[in-house]
Amino acid sequence: MAASLSMALRRALTACLSLALWLGPPLAWADSAPAPIKYDLSYDIFHAVEARQGMVVSEQAIASQVGVDILKRGGNAVDAAVAVGFALAVVLPQAGNLAGGGFMLVHDARTGKTVAVDFREMAPRAAYRDMYLDSQGRVVPGRSLFTHLASGVPGTVAGLAQTLDKYGSLKLPEVIAPAIKLARNGYIVSPELADHLAAASERLGRWPASRAVFFKGDKPLQAGDRLVQNDLARTLAELSRHGEQAFYKGTISRQIVAEMARQGGLITADDLAGYKVVEREPVHGNYRGYEVLSMPPPSSGGVHIIQMLNLLERYPLREYGSGSAQLLHLEAEAMKLAYADRAEYLGDPDFSKVPVQGLTSRAYADELAKRIDPDHAMPSAQIKPGKPQPYESEQTTHYSVLDKDGNVVSVTYTLNLPFGSGIVVPGTGMLLNNEMDDFSAKPGVPNAFGLVGGEANAVAPLKRPLSSMSPTLVLKDGKPWLVTGSPGGSRIITTVLQTLINTIDFDMGPAGAAATPRIHHQWLPDELGVERGVSPDTIKLLQQKGHKVVVKRAFGRTQTIQVLPEGLYGYADPRNPDGGAAGY
């Protein structure tokens, strides 16, 4: 028995020794700690969609996928952008459109050239300065918003078709086909769209043709219902067969003119036939080594984004920190100064001289900056428009597209308010815009967005109303680095400004920049709007500086693409849950 135990013990010791030798020296094993496991691989809290070849970001994921499918088939960024524009007319009826207008930046990677395409609506030939005033000279409520007099001559179809013809690689029937299919087959109404329909039900419900599209019985469509738009499908098919001529000189034109004649509107066959798309030079600026390109007048956006960046570049914003009271204070003061100038100087450059060079000059910013107190808010009553001449030498949607060759398209287009005027042209499925409200119905009287305008933006025949739409491109070392824009009426300009500051000053990606709470000040009324998420401590500090802080509903819905060496990053603003970024 003892011999057996001794033999077993020797065998066990031998086995342990063999294991020890296999494991290595005892001290080395004991001293070597396992490598730490990294659970957190990024500083980012919100993550963008990643891609390598192409990216589309819009306020409707269905439309974004339409654009990516065009890119995968070999289409370029313009092809995809035009397809998305027509698709949004179907799946984002509160803002996507055929009978509206907008702006587009097109960047050609081969030449490095960027052009600004202006397809903004124009006032009819019969429009006149005081058309929205009563006999006492007072603005008639609703006349510039919810009647047939509210509609400018639409530019969307001409803008999309002509840009495709000049810069695209595919034909119109190829890029419009997905929109026709979506209109015929329909799609499920989302909770977001259902909420918009409910909010606009009163004005949509006034018009039988609008009720036929957006109502089921006596109520607007609900979440989960299918929205089929057969009339709109036929209109899109007519465009596919006959091009933009169908809209401006053909069947669709006759339908629009007949509706105007029935309801006392001003748009005539001559107005439609005479519509012109204009190519303009983008406004340029530089901010901390990045080149910023945006839309020139009749957009006010590009001018004032660059003006505000010029004002803010002198401050060490990064040191103040994202969301800090000092950052928000300086942004608000710059906003007030810029919007005061907007009210005085901005309008259609074909009708009045807009001092773009002066407003965007650094020397003018240096003069304005003397009025900014880093510790105290200046009351709006004390702010008057500056003198830039010596330095001379809300419902809208945005989408961004970038293709494998580096071509970029940034588009913002609109009906103005959600569903525009609420009027569908019978037989077409198209909602009419109410962009005439963007003119100054009476200089000094606020429009639907609370914006005050001057003589430069008074109503006149064939004039384009002032806009805040700001499709924007940022270049780094001459190459696209950021593509962005937003809907939001008067808040578009400040939304884009803060997106640029978040990405450039605070190294945020598109997702983080979009998720950061925003502020807005437009000079008049004298209040600083803030989104929920700005901390109570920060609000208290802003109030101590003299700001009248008001918590507001969400501002803007950016659609952003960032180009980095490792790939493309796209993000649709979470303020619209229907939005989506798609890439490949």
Side-chain angles (χ1 to χ4, degrees), residues 243-519:
E244 65 176 292
Q245 295 303 309
F247 191 96
Y248 292 96
K249 296 181 179 179
T251 303
I252 303 166
S253 169
R254 290 190 287 273
Q255 291 171 300
I256 295 171
V257 171
E259 174 68 3
M260 288 289 165
R262 281 192 298 268
Q263 302 291 346
L266 297 183
I267 296 175
T268 66
D270 287 343
D271 290 323
L272 288 162
Y275 182 82
K276 302 293 183 186
V277 176
V278 181
E279 283 197 7
R280 304 186 189 275
E281 181 74 18
V283 291
H284 292 253
N286 287 281
Y287 182 71
R288 306 201 194 279
Y290 293 82
E291 184 179 2
V292 180
L293 295 86
S294 194
M295 198 68 201
S299 169
S300 60
V303 168
H304 295 305
I305 288 168
I306 290 169
Q307 180 184 14
M308 290 185 286
L309 290 173
N310 287 343
L311 283 166
L312 293 168
E313 190 171 15
R314 70 198 66 241
Y315 301 105
L317 304 185
R318 188 182 182 92
E319 293 179 16
Y320 301 148
S322 172
S324 67
Q326 190 62 23
L327 169 72
L328 303 187
H329 165 68
L330 293 171
E331 287 179 336
E333 294 303 284
M335 291 171 187
K336 285 190 279 190
L337 291 168
Y339 276 78
D341 280 350
R342 182 190 190 277
E344 179 72 14
Y345 298 114
L346 270 291
D348 185 343
D350 297 332
F351 281 75
S352 58
K353 182 167 176 56
V354 180
V356 172
Q357 186 176 338
L359 289 165
T360 58
S361 75
R362 291 184 179 275
Y364 181 54
D366 291 342
E367 283 298 311
L368 286 183
K370 295 175 183 177
R371 305 170 68 182
I372 296 178
D373 184 333
D375 298 315
H376 299 94
M378 183 187 300
S380 291
Q382 295 180 17
I383 298 176
K384 303 299 179 187
K387 299 293 183 184
Q389 290 88 343
Y391 304 97
E392 277 286 288
S393 346
E394 190 127 340
Q395 178 63 275
T396 302
T397 190
H398 179 86
Y399 57 97
S400 300
V401 182
L402 189 144
D403 67 23
K404 60 182 176 59
D405 297 318
N407 301 305
V408 172
V409 181
S410 182
V411 183
T412 313
Y413 76 151
T414 184
L415 288 167
N416 197 25
L417 297 186
F419 305 99
S421 63
I423 301 167
V424 167
V425 177
T428 70
M430 300 186 311
L431 281 157
L432 290 171
N433 70 78
N434 55 1
E435 287 297 345
M436 294 293 286
D437 186 68
D438 276 358
F439 283 115
S440 301
K442 182 178 182 179
V445 176
N447 70 359
F449 295 100
L451 286 170
V452 175
E455 291 292 341
N457 192 39
V459 180
L462 305 182
K463 191 175 183 180
R464 298 170 196 252
L466 184 61
S467 172
S468 297
M469 293 184 287
S470 311
T472 298
L473 171 63
V474 179
L475 304 179
K476 182 179 183 181
D477 301 323
K479 303 291 184 183
W481 181 78
L482 195 78
V483 193
T484 193
S486 175
S490 61
R491 300 164 300 180
I492 292 173
I493 304 170
T494 54
T495 294
V496 173
L497 170 76
Q498 290 166 90
T499 300
L500 300 187
I501 289 172
N502 286 339
T503 52
I504 294 173
D505 286 281
F506 298 111
D507 294 329
M508 295 183 190
T516 302
R518 296 175 182 136
I519 68 166

Side-chain angles (χ1 to χ4, degrees), residues 71-279:
L71 293 178
K72 287 180 177 179
R73 285 167 42 195
N76 65 20
V78 171
D79 300 322
V82 173
V84 171
F86 283 117
L88 286 170
V90 180
V91 298
L92 192 76
Q94 64 267 41
N97 66 84
L98 299 181
F103 301 130
M104 180 189 310
L105 289 185
V106 179
H107 176 80
D108 186 306
R110 184 179 59 83
T111 64
K113 182 181 178 182
T114 303
V115 297
V117 182
D118 175 357
F119 56 99
R120 181 72 160 147
E121 301 89 341
M122 298 172 67
R125 284 172 168 79
Y128 55 97
R129 188 183 185 282
D130 296 334
M131 62 185 287
Y132 299 115
L133 307 184
D134 63 18
S135 59
Q136 304 300 312
R138 296 170 297 200
V139 175
V140 179
R143 183 179 290 179
S144 65
L145 288 169
F146 307 125
T147 73
H148 289 69
L149 293 173
S151 296
V153 181
T156 292
V157 171
L160 296 180
Q162 291 181 29
T163 304
L164 179 72
D165 186 60
K166 188 170 183 178
Y167 300 105
S169 64
L170 302 179
K171 298 299 183 184
L172 185 61
E174 295 176 86
V175 299
I176 207 170
I180 296 172
K181 184 177 180 180
L182 284 166
R184 283 178 177 160
N185 295 344
Y187 58 94
I188 301 302
V189 173
S190 68
E192 176 77 4
L193 176 53
D195 287 346
H196 278 287
L197 287 167
S201 61
E202 182 177 349
R203 69 175 185 274
L204 289 170
R206 290 175 54 196
W207 307 99
S210 303
R211 292 177 65 89
V213 177
F214 298 113
F215 277 58
K216 180 188 285 186
D218 294 331
K219 294 183 179 180
L221 293 172
Q222 306 292 303
D225 289 339
R226 179 171 290 274
L227 175 53
V228 176
Q229 301 172 79
N230 288 318
D231 283 347
L232 186 57
R234 283 188 287 272
T235 296
L236 290 164
E238 185 74 6
L239 292 173
S240 178
R241 286 189 297 269
H242 302 293
E244 65 176 292
Q245 295 303 309
F247 191 96
Y248 292 96
K249 296 181 179 179
T251 303
I252 303 166
S253 169
R254 290 190 287 273
Q255 291 171 300
I256 295 171
V257 171
E259 174 68 3
M260 288 289 165
R262 281 192 298 268
Q263 302 291 346
L266 297 183
I267 296 175
T268 66
D270 287 343
D271 290 323
L272 288 162
Y275 182 82
K276 302 293 183 186
V277 176
V278 181
E279 283 197 7

Side-chain angles (χ1 to χ4, degrees), residues 532-579:
R532 287 183 178 177
V534 175
S535 75
D537 286 347
T538 300
I539 290 175
K540 193 171 295 183
L541 289 170
L542 289 168
Q543 290 170 332
Q544 289 172 2
K545 289 178 180 289
H547 291 283
K548 301 171 185 175
V549 182
V550 181
V551 178
K552 299 274 191 176
R553 294 178 181 177
F555 299 152
R557 297 182 295 279
T558 51
Q559 313 298 318
T560 304
I561 301 172
Q562 188 172 31
V563 184
L564 298 176
E566 57 268 28
L568 311 177
Y569 295 84
Y571 196 69
D573 198 311
R575 291 164 183 80
N576 180 358
D578 288 348

